Amino acid sequence: MISVKATIPYTADEFRRRAENAFTTEAHAPREYGDHSINPELAAMFAAMKRRDAAVLVPVVDYPGEASVILTQRTDRLSSHAGQVAFPGGKIDPGETAEEAALREAEEEIGLPRSAVEVVLRAPDYLTASGFRIAPVLAVVRPGMPLSLNPHEVAAAFETPLAFLMDSSNHRKKSRIWQGRARNFFEMPWQDRYIWGVTAGIIRMLAEELYGEKI
């Protein structure tokens, strides 16, 4: 069953307000997030791991009333995370900021023009078991922008209601065997899309920090 909290205004303005309150106020300093948040046995490995820097754009579309979030379905022929649901994003090139990388990747992957994007702020990094340090760049996007997908990287782009993603009752904790061990992860299926792994982990982080759903 899909659940949302009807009493919370899931607008782009409210998302922006909550993000600025959560991530720019020392009293609300967030904890460290990553795959190890729900897999404590990974803590030692994470502390010693050499990491590659990447950034993703979290594009919240500013519709009147209730906002939505743009997500992508990666193509099946990519060398990593093929076919998975993801935020637009990729590695940070030398000399780039996380914000610049996220905007560039969104433009390259789905044709989202930078002129239609208002960067709100950079959220805390999310650490992955595959060795990435991902900077989620929170942004508000002007509605009605036509997208142009890069067929080599993106099979589809779709929108999911912010209300659905930010409601933790729609987040399910699951586990599967990875490198010979059981690993926990979050999933949040939406219609015919299966959101899980790192993307779901970043969504979970935002739900906890912005909408009071700490575990």
Side-chain angles (χ1 to χ4, degrees):
M1 176 182 294
I2 294 174
S3 171
V4 297
K5 296 179 179 175
T7 58
I8 295 177
Y10 288 99
T11 62
D13 283 345
E14 180 67 7
F15 177 83
R16 183 192 294 107
R17 185 191 70 78
R18 287 172 179 256
E20 291 171 347
N21 183 61
F23 298 135
T24 61
T25 305
E26 290 185 9
H28 297 88
R31 58 184 179 173
E32 183 180 76
Y33 276 94
D35 292 343
H36 61 305
S37 299
I38 55 173
N39 294 281
E41 69 277 8
L42 296 178
M45 180 186 77
F46 268 48
M49 185 177 287
K50 184 177 180 180
R51 299 198 168 275
R52 293 163 288 175
D53 291 321
V56 297
L57 191 73
V58 181
V60 175
V61 185
D62 189 11
Y63 290 116
E66 190 172 290
S68 67
V69 180
I70 300 173
L71 292 166
T72 71
Q73 187 93 39
R74 293 165 62 85
T75 63
D76 290 331
R77 57 179 176 266
L78 290 174
S79 59
S80 63
H81 306 291
Q84 292 187 12
V85 170
F87 291 111
K91 69 176 183 178
I92 299 175
D93 288 339
E96 272 189 323
T97 65
E99 292 82 356
E100 289 168 344
L103 290 170
R104 173 181 54 77
E105 289 284 349
E107 197 163 39
E108 292 176 358
E109 289 183 8
I110 62 174
L112 182 64
R114 303 182 193 204
S115 60
V117 182
E118 173 206 342
V119 171
V120 176
L121 52 77
R122 173 178 172 172
D125 292 341
Y126 188 95
L127 308 181
T128 76
S130 56
F132 283 96
R133 179 188 296 104
I134 299 177
V137 177
L138 310 188
V140 172
V141 177
R142 192 164 68 242
M145 300 305 302
L147 301 180
S148 177
L149 309 187
N150 180 341
H152 300 291
E153 298 186 50
V154 179
F158 62 98
E159 295 182 21
T160 302
L162 180 66
F164 173 84
L165 296 177
M166 295 297 107
D167 188 342
S168 66
S169 63
N170 297 319
H171 305 172
R172 304 191 307 221
K173 186 183 286 187
K174 297 288 184 177
S175 66
R176 64 173 55 178
I177 301 301
W178 181 72
Q179 295 186 349
R181 293 177 142 187
R183 298 296 188 220
N184 298 314
F185 61 92
F186 282 108
E187 65 174 18
M188 45 200 74
W190 166 251
Q191 297 181 346
D192 61 341
R193 308 290 183 180
Y194 181 59
I195 307 167
W196 74 290
V198 172
T199 302
I202 292 173
I203 291 169
R204 178 68 180 188
M205 173 187 75
L206 296 175
E208 292 178 0
E209 291 295 338
L210 305 190
Y211 293 87
E213 299 295 341
K214 297 184 188 297
I215 56 173

